[in-house]
Amino acid sequence: MDELFLAVYDDLELGEVGRSLWEPALPHLARLVSGGDERPVLAAVEDVARSAGLSQSVPVAALLDAFACGSKALRDGLHARGTAAALEARRVLLALESTALTRIASGYSAGLEQTIVRLRRDAEDASPFDLCTGAMKPGEIVEQLSLEVNRCQRMELSLGLLELALEETGRDRSKPYAREGHRGALHDAGECLRENLRRYDSIGLTPDGGFLLVLPDISRRGLAGAAERLRRELSASAGVSAPPRFLFALAHYDYVDVNAGEMLEALDHSVQQARVVHEPLAWS
């Protein structure tokens, strides 16, 4: 049977795409006709299609056409041989074709999905913003804070900072909100913050998954009022069965006389203190 398939196959002019599909499947196809399993044949063509979907080197329509044309050409060649073995092989090919075309489409779709995931990951890696929360990534918000520090020093403006930590509400109240498993709550929190801050305020993420807000040209009283308003809005918008506990650490500078690193260190210390004493707000 191997010799029969090879002889007929060698007489065909399938083109590059057709041969890329049929050559990996041909050895399995010969065994299938001899009473073997169809799964290796289907897996072979599906794998070729998945690779094409990943590389985007060949359209799926070209793969489907190549398989259908190759199947017909093989069947015609086997029919021309006229032997019982050739006719049985032709019957098996005909029965296999519909399933194989479906598996080619499925394989190509899987390759496309992997490509989309990779492209989305590349886009997220390249973006200065976190796609889940819409906030700046930790490195970006630190750079933005440094720019605001320089601007406030140059223009003699005040500067307010607010670090927001999200905590689990179970027994262990010192446990930070994990990103995985709470993406919905983090997305809602990011959206709420953007809706309730001024357009020139900056929102970023801290390395441990909290939020850092940079509010230039604001009074101490205004910063306290903003924190209270955010606390109410965040609690109201937490549309989950187990909403997080919000911890706020605030720092205000009438005149900016410290650098960004010192500000962040003081804020982090205040967040840790708030966790220890179970207070929702702490001033740095």
Side-chain angles (χ1 to χ4, degrees), residues 9-206:
Y9 181 77
D10 287 341
D11 290 339
L12 304 181
E13 295 181 1
L14 296 179
E16 183 178 351
V17 177
R19 291 194 175 274
S20 73
L21 271 171
W22 282 100
E23 286 181 358
L26 207 60
H28 306 297
L29 192 60
R31 288 191 287 273
L32 170 62
V33 173
S34 300
D37 193 345
E38 69 176 10
R39 287 177 293 182
V41 180
L42 298 174
V45 295
E46 185 175 8
D47 189 57
V48 172
R50 182 183 293 106
S51 297
L54 277 170
S55 64
Q56 293 293 280
S57 57
V58 182
V60 66
L63 290 172
L64 295 172
D65 287 345
F67 187 89
C69 292
S71 179
K72 183 179 184 305
L74 272 172
R75 294 198 312 272
D76 290 346
L78 292 166
H79 181 74
R81 295 299 173 104
T83 65
L87 294 178
E88 174 60 15
R90 181 181 181 279
R91 185 193 66 79
V92 170
L93 264 178
L94 185 60
L96 181 72
E97 183 171 342
S98 177
T99 304
L101 289 172
T102 301
R103 291 289 289 271
I104 290 170
S106 297
Y108 198 88
S109 177
L112 281 179
E113 288 178 5
Q114 289 179 258
T115 299
I116 291 169
V117 169
R118 175 178 55 80
L119 291 174
R120 185 179 290 120
R121 185 168 55 245
D122 291 346
E124 186 169 0
D125 290 343
S127 173
F129 296 96
D130 173 66
L131 296 186
C132 174
T133 61
M136 292 182 183
K137 293 178 180 176
E140 299 292 335
I141 191 63
V142 171
E143 289 187 15
Q144 182 65 25
L145 174 58
S146 297
L147 291 174
E148 289 293 355
V149 165
N150 291 334
R151 188 172 74 89
C152 289
Q153 288 174 338
R154 186 175 65 254
M155 300 180 67
E156 297 186 354
L157 298 174
S158 60
L159 180 63
L161 299 181
L162 188 156
E163 184 171 340
L164 168 63
L166 283 68
E167 302 286 309
E168 297 278 8
T169 54
R171 294 179 179 179
D172 185 2
R173 306 191 80 184
S174 64
K175 183 180 179 182
Y177 231 45
R179 182 179 178 86
E180 296 305 323
H182 296 292
R183 295 181 69 87
L186 291 169
H187 173 271
D188 292 345
E191 189 174 72
C192 181
L193 292 174
R194 291 194 303 276
E195 291 176 351
N196 287 280
L197 291 178
R198 303 168 299 182
R199 61 178 178 79
Y200 51 84
D201 295 330
S202 300
I203 307 171
L205 295 177
T206 63

Side-chain angles (χ1 to χ4, degrees), residues 162 218-230 250 281 283:
L162 188 156
I218 192 172
S219 66
R220 182 181 178 90
R221 183 176 179 180
L223 180 61
E228 178 58 27
R229 183 178 70 256
L230 289 173
L250 283 66
L281 189 146
W283 281 91

